[in-house]
Amino acid sequence: MRDFNIINLAPISVAFTIVAVGVIYYFLNLEVTKRQRAEMVLRQQTERERLVNQIAQHIRESLELEEVLTTTVAEVREFLQADRVLIYRIWEDGTGSAITETVLPEYTKILGETFPEEVFPREYHQAYSLGKTRAIANVEQADVELCLADFVKKFGVQAKLVVPILQENREAEQQRDRQTPASVPYLWGLLIAHQCDRPRVWESWEVELMKQLATQVAIAIQQSELYKQLQKLNAELEHRVRKRTQELALANVSLRAEIAERQRTQAALQALITASPRAIFTLDLQGHVKIWNPAAERMFGWKEAEVIDRLNPIFLDDQSQEYHTLQQSIFQGTTYTRVELRRYKKDGSPIDIVFSAAPLHDTEDNIDGMVAVIADITHQKQQEEQVRLLQSVVVNTNDAVVITEAEPIDEPGPYIIYVNEAFTRITGYSLQEVLGKTPRILQGSKTSRAELDKVWTALSRWETITVQVINYRKDGSEFWNEFSIVPIADQTGCYTHWISVQRDITERKRLDEIRMALERERELSLLKTRFFSMASHEFRTPLSTALAAAQLLENCQDEWDNSAKRLRNLQRIQLSVKNMVQILDDILTINRAETGKLEFNPKLLDLEGFSGCFLEEMRLSTDEKHTLTFVSQGQAVPTWVDERLLRSILSNLLLNAIKYSPEGGNIDLSLEFKSDRVILQVQDRGIGIPLADQKQLFEPFHRGKNVKSIPGTGLGLAVVKKCVDLHQGHINITSEVGIGTTCAIALPLKGKDL
């Protein structure tokens, strides 16, 4: 029985043993797999480090940039097993080229091709300058710009990895791109890996490797640039030494020539330091000044003799830990390319500077001091502050400010690129609603085309102009807009923008209209006063004369029986009535002209014959105390005139000439016929019109200050002007006090509307 149990348990023990062995094998295999994976990760990391170190070593050993870049892309492609690796160089004009490339034979080469700026626009530079990388696993599925996806497909690219190659943003690069802040590195180019046969998910270590290699490439680029500069300097130096040595070889003084060349080199360096527009000084390890160039004297005010072998006066009063740390850092080997500081000159005035410094080494390569280069940026800072203040004014002013691009004055530009909040308050349009549109958005049916034409003319000449027009708000309501437009030029003198300052003057216009209405009311009131004064004075005299003559005829029988006396009194009555009728006719003429009811009935008239007859009538109806003459020049032709209005013109001009001329004076009436017009002229040698009164010649009831007691209404020239205007003619009066007055009237031989 016991043996039987032993026999039955044997297979069970074997089974347990097999299971145990399997479990142990599983865990052992799992551990081996983990170790293998760890070893593989470690091996990959080691290989990456080896690759980076190998390339870094190659950079240290080789100064040939092309060789370094070629080796780098070849080893990167081999290590990443990519189909193509290239270095893309970004040029100053925004274009780019593949300057180094390694690619499998079955794929298109990009090397040497130059691509336009649109391939890698400037707006992407900022992000890459800050260290952005881009890993695209599938150009068809990733969030890739359509134009970029189409572009890379031309070269069979399905996945790509891009990292930036950055350089310090030195002054030369800043001049190339003024919009790049000084603290942002300069984007020299891109290190790019392509996978063409399939999509590919890029591992984080691959991205990190590319970034490390891009850093090494940047070092190689900077090293190469410095090496080229050094080669150039060395070549120049060697050329001078060789030439000098050859010259001195004849005299067997080669050693003396080498010393002389060194002295010349030192002198050249000293000359460069002396001539430099930037302040340059050197310090020893104790902080004492050893070199202090003229630019430093001009910039800070201390003379060289005042600072040599003394502590640096620029930072003498700066006991802060920050400067102490900066100085010690330089003495320990750190180079600073751009540190902005505010210091003080010898006279205590502040100065903003950019401080660049590097350690100096002795012959045994030990640091024994530092050299510093300083640029004065006070003016630049002031300009920045002015820009800030100007921006504040533009944003907060109550006047609307509109900035447009300075494009040719034609459809569809110029385009609005900025409006301030005041523009929104005045017009109702927000910045987003007007961006990319033109100022015509404010124009409408009542906007003066004549004023706009003035604007276009001024802008085409790059001139400043101010106009007032009716514009329209977003809701369609009208407002009076007074705006001034100024062209803005850049530093080269090229006009780039227009700035328009606009102001809502609707309320001012309304007040102006009220003021003008009040002014018209005042003038009307004054005119009425002058009219009643004139009427009471001018009507009283002829009425008194007529009344006195009538009373004499009525009450004095002798006056009635004597035919001469009776005729004289009757003539007095007739003349007085004629004078009053003339005054009433003049008033009615002006009133009809003002109300548009003055009739104008032109017909062909023998102007020469009419004028001669009219002068005879005037000679008979007036006394013989003046000499009236008539002259006609040119070929007389019938003229289209209104005879009634012409009679009014001649009578007023001749009566004025007679009235204001001394007894025995000459009065000339002349006609001059030209090809298209006739000149009618009345000239006297009377008292003349003062210059101050000549501005108001044609105002009703206005008379010169020198008329004294000479009777008159001040209506004559006003009537003449109305009649001449109906004939579409022109009147010109020249006068000099004590010399006389000449009134010349030009009438068309045939009116424009006849």
Side-chain angles (χ1 to χ4, degrees):
M1 187 67 176
R2 184 177 301 168
D3 294 337
F4 176 76
N5 291 333
I6 292 174
I7 293 171
N8 289 337
L9 290 173
I12 297 175
S13 299
V14 173
F16 275 112
T17 300
I18 293 172
V19 171
V21 170
V23 171
I24 292 171
Y25 175 77
Y26 171 76
F27 282 105
L28 286 175
N29 189 52
L30 184 62
E31 184 65 23
V32 169
T33 303
K34 289 182 178 179
R35 288 188 178 183
Q36 288 177 343
R37 290 179 179 174
E39 290 175 357
M40 182 178 65
V41 171
L42 182 59
R43 186 166 54 254
Q44 289 178 341
Q45 183 177 353
T46 302
E47 286 297 319
R48 293 197 302 272
E49 293 176 355
R50 182 197 62 78
L51 178 61
V52 173
N53 291 334
Q54 180 178 340
I55 293 176
Q57 180 65 25
H58 187 66
I59 290 173
R60 287 192 293 270
E61 294 176 352
S62 176
L63 294 175
E64 293 295 331
L65 179 61
E66 183 176 353
E67 178 185 346
V68 171
L69 297 182
T70 302
T71 303
T72 299
V73 296
E75 293 185 1
V76 171
R77 194 204 66 75
E78 182 66 27
F79 188 81
L80 295 181
Q81 290 299 299
D83 296 328
R84 179 190 293 111
V85 175
L86 60 93
I87 291 178
Y88 184 80
R89 176 73 164 100
I90 301 173
W91 306 112
E92 292 184 0
D93 60 358
T95 63
S97 302
I99 62 171
T100 306
E101 176 192 33
T102 178
V103 61
L104 293 180
E106 58 267 28
Y107 299 113
T108 304
K109 288 187 177 181
I110 304 178
L111 182 63
E113 290 200 27
T114 299
F115 302 100
E117 183 179 356
E118 291 76 14
V119 173
F120 187 60
R122 290 186 186 272
E123 54 264 28
Y124 294 166
H125 292 194
Q126 183 74 8
Y128 281 95
S129 296
L130 297 175
K132 172 188 174 181
T133 62
R134 192 165 190 186
I136 301 175
N138 189 335
V139 296
E140 295 185 351
Q141 295 180 0
D143 184 15
V144 179
E145 296 80 358
L146 183 59
C147 60
L148 178 59
D150 293 340
F151 176 75
V152 296
K153 286 178 183 178
K154 295 179 181 179
F155 300 100
V157 179
Q158 296 195 42
K160 64 184 297 185
L161 175 58
V162 182
V163 296
I165 301 172
L166 304 177
Q167 293 284 294
E168 290 182 355
N169 194 359
R170 299 182 296 277
E171 183 178 3
E173 286 78 24
Q174 295 174 25
Q175 291 177 355
R176 186 181 66 85
D177 188 359
R178 292 287 184 181
Q179 297 180 349
T180 303
S183 59
V184 179
Y186 161 49
L187 182 61
W188 184 91
L190 304 170
L191 177 59
I192 305 173
H194 286 167
Q195 195 68 35
C196 301
D197 61 341
R198 56 183 171 78
R200 174 175 178 172
V201 177
W202 302 96
E203 301 291 342
S204 58
W205 65 265
E206 294 175 325
V207 177
E208 186 61 30
L209 173 63
M210 289 282 281
K211 290 170 65 176
Q212 293 177 5
L213 293 176
T215 301
Q216 295 300 322
V217 170
I219 294 172
I221 293 167
Q222 188 171 9
Q223 176 179 289
S224 176
E225 291 178 352
L226 294 175
Y227 177 64
K228 287 180 180 179
Q229 295 175 6
L230 182 60
Q231 278 185 318
K232 183 179 179 180
L233 292 174
N234 283 340
E236 294 175 357
L237 182 60
E238 288 175 1
H239 175 72
R240 290 196 300 268
V241 171
R242 189 182 307 111
K243 182 178 179 181
R244 188 64 174 169
T245 302
Q246 290 173 352
E247 292 175 353
L248 296 178
L250 299 175
N252 197 20
V253 287
S254 58
L255 180 60
R256 198 175 298 173
E258 183 179 351
I259 295 173
E261 187 62 32
R262 288 182 179 179
Q263 290 175 344
R264 289 181 60 191
T265 303
Q266 290 177 352
L269 179 60
Q270 183 62 43
L272 288 174
I273 293 174
T274 302
S276 173
R278 297 194 174 190
I280 299 176
F281 64 85
T282 63
L283 304 177
D284 61 17
L285 293 178
Q286 288 72 42
H288 295 136
V289 178
K290 294 300 180 182
I291 292 177
W292 185 265
N293 74 338
E297 292 184 349
R298 295 191 299 270
M299 191 176 295
F300 294 100
W302 285 285
K303 298 297 182 181
E304 182 181 23
E306 298 179 90
V307 298
I308 291 296
D309 293 328
R310 292 182 174 87
L311 292 176
N312 182 8
I314 303 175
F315 298 97
L316 191 60
D317 60 341
D318 194 334
Q319 304 298 326
S320 67
Q321 184 64 31
E322 181 180 0
Y323 172 67
H324 178 74
T325 302
L326 175 67
Q327 180 174 285
Q328 291 304 313
S329 177
I330 296 171
F331 286 151
Q332 292 172 6
T334 303
T335 296
Y336 291 91
T337 57
R338 187 176 180 89
V339 178
E340 292 190 12
L341 300 170
R342 165 161 285 197
R343 303 310 308 150
Y344 295 90
K345 300 181 181 180
K346 181 181 179 180
D347 61 7
S349 58
I351 178 174
D352 292 306
I353 62 173
V354 170
F355 178 84
S356 302
L360 290 175
H361 297 263
D362 59 17
T363 56
E364 298 179 357
D365 205 27
N366 296 318
I367 295 176
D368 65 349
M370 61 173 280
V371 59
V373 180
I374 295 178
D376 184 355
I377 60 170
T378 306
H379 182 63
Q380 177 183 334
K381 286 285 187 181
Q382 291 173 347
Q383 286 184 327
E384 292 174 355
E385 179 63 15
Q386 291 173 357
V387 170
R388 186 189 66 79
L389 294 174
L390 181 59
Q391 288 174 337
S392 176
V393 170
V394 169
V395 170
N396 298 307
T397 183
N398 290 326
D399 291 338
V401 177
V402 180
I403 303 177
T404 60
E405 296 174 341
E407 294 184 355
I409 307 298
D410 54 12
E411 297 290 347
Y415 297 108
I416 296 174
I417 62 174
Y418 173 82
V419 296
N420 64 349
E421 293 180 2
F423 179 87
T424 301
R425 290 197 303 270
I426 294 174
T427 67
Y429 290 103
S430 66
L431 173 62
Q432 291 73 22
E433 290 175 315
V434 298
L435 278 180
K437 294 182 172 59
T438 73
R440 295 182 180 88
I441 193 174
L442 300 179
Q443 299 173 14
S445 58
K446 292 185 181 180
T447 304
S448 172
R449 306 310 304 177
E451 293 298 302
L452 294 180
D453 289 341
K454 294 179 183 177
V455 173
W456 305 145
T457 301
L459 294 185
S460 65
R461 299 173 180 171
W462 303 106
E463 297 174 348
T464 300
I465 188 171
T466 300
V467 296
Q468 297 178 359
V469 296
I470 294 177
N471 279 158
Y472 293 82
R473 300 184 179 89
K474 180 180 178 181
D475 60 9
S477 59
E478 300 175 0
F479 72 99
W480 273 97
N481 188 5
E482 179 183 71
F483 64 90
S484 301
I485 301 181
V486 180
I488 303 299
D490 59 17
Q491 295 179 347
T492 65
C494 179
Y495 290 101
T496 58
H497 297 86
W498 284 309
I499 295 182
S500 171
V501 179
Q502 305 183 2
R503 178 174 296 176
D504 184 351
I505 60 168
T506 306
E507 184 64 20
R508 192 175 82 190
K509 280 287 186 180
R510 187 182 67 82
L511 294 176
D512 287 345
E513 291 176 359
I514 294 175
R515 185 174 62 255
M516 290 176 64
L518 293 174
E519 184 66 21
R520 286 194 296 270
E521 287 292 331
R522 188 186 68 80
E523 291 177 356
L524 182 60
S525 176
L526 181 62
L527 192 62
K528 289 179 179 178
T529 301
R530 288 163 59 186
F531 170 73
F532 287 124
S533 175
M534 181 279 300
S536 62
H537 180 271
E538 295 299 326
F539 279 99
R540 180 183 297 113
T541 299
L543 285 174
S544 298
T545 301
L547 180 60
Q551 288 177 342
L552 284 173
L553 292 174
E554 179 183 8
N555 299 325
C556 185
Q557 188 64 35
D558 181 60
E559 292 286 335
W560 182 263
D561 293 337
N562 189 322
S563 60
K565 292 182 178 180
R566 182 172 66 248
L567 180 60
R568 185 171 59 251
N569 285 321
L570 289 175
Q571 287 177 342
R572 289 176 180 173
I573 294 173
Q574 289 177 350
L575 182 60
S576 298
V577 172
K578 283 183 179 180
N579 288 337
M580 288 188 291
V581 170
Q582 181 65 40
I583 293 173
L584 290 175
D585 284 343
D586 289 343
I587 293 174
L588 290 175
T589 298
I590 292 175
N591 181 64
R592 291 193 186 103
E594 293 288 347
T595 58
K597 296 180 180 179
L598 182 59
E599 294 183 359
F600 179 60
N601 300 308
K603 64 179 180 179
L604 282 174
L605 181 69
D606 178 8
L607 188 58
E608 183 179 24
F610 177 85
S611 300
C613 293
F614 188 85
L615 190 68
E616 286 300 321
E617 293 179 11
M618 292 294 296
R619 186 180 289 114
L620 294 174
S621 63
T622 59
D623 53 35
E624 298 181 355
K625 297 179 181 180
H626 297 85
T627 302
L628 304 181
T629 61
F630 172 66
V631 176
S632 179
Q633 300 176 353
Q635 180 63 41
V637 295
T639 307
W640 284 90
V641 292
D642 185 310
E643 184 178 347
R644 179 177 57 84
L645 298 182
L646 180 62
R647 181 175 293 276
S648 181
I649 292 172
L650 289 174
S651 64
N652 276 291
L653 291 180
L654 290 172
L655 286 174
N656 274 352
I658 293 170
K659 183 188 305 182
Y660 299 112
S661 293
E663 293 184 6
N666 294 327
I667 298 170
D668 301 325
L669 171 64
S670 65
L671 291 177
E672 183 181 1
F673 290 90
K674 295 182 177 294
S675 60
D676 59 343
R677 65 190 185 280
V678 60
I679 308 299
L680 186 153
Q681 180 173 288
V682 175
Q683 183 178 18
D684 65 50
R685 283 79 175 172
I687 63 174
I689 305 171
L691 185 62
D693 292 315
Q694 292 182 20
K695 299 177 181 179
Q696 300 169 287
L697 285 175
F698 304 114
E699 292 185 10
F701 309 116
H702 180 81
R703 304 187 71 204
K705 301 296 187 299
N706 60 339
V707 297
K708 298 180 180 179
S709 60
I710 300 174
T713 62
L715 294 174
L717 289 179
V719 171
V720 171
K721 182 68 167 61
K722 299 296 183 183
C723 295
V724 171
D725 288 343
L726 284 176
H727 282 86
Q728 298 176 336
H730 301 281
I731 182 171
N732 181 51
I733 295 178
T734 57
S735 183
E736 187 174 351
V737 175
I739 302 299
T741 301
T742 300
C743 181
I745 296 174
L747 299 176
L749 292 178
K750 182 177 178 63
K752 297 178 182 178
D753 57 350
L754 301 179

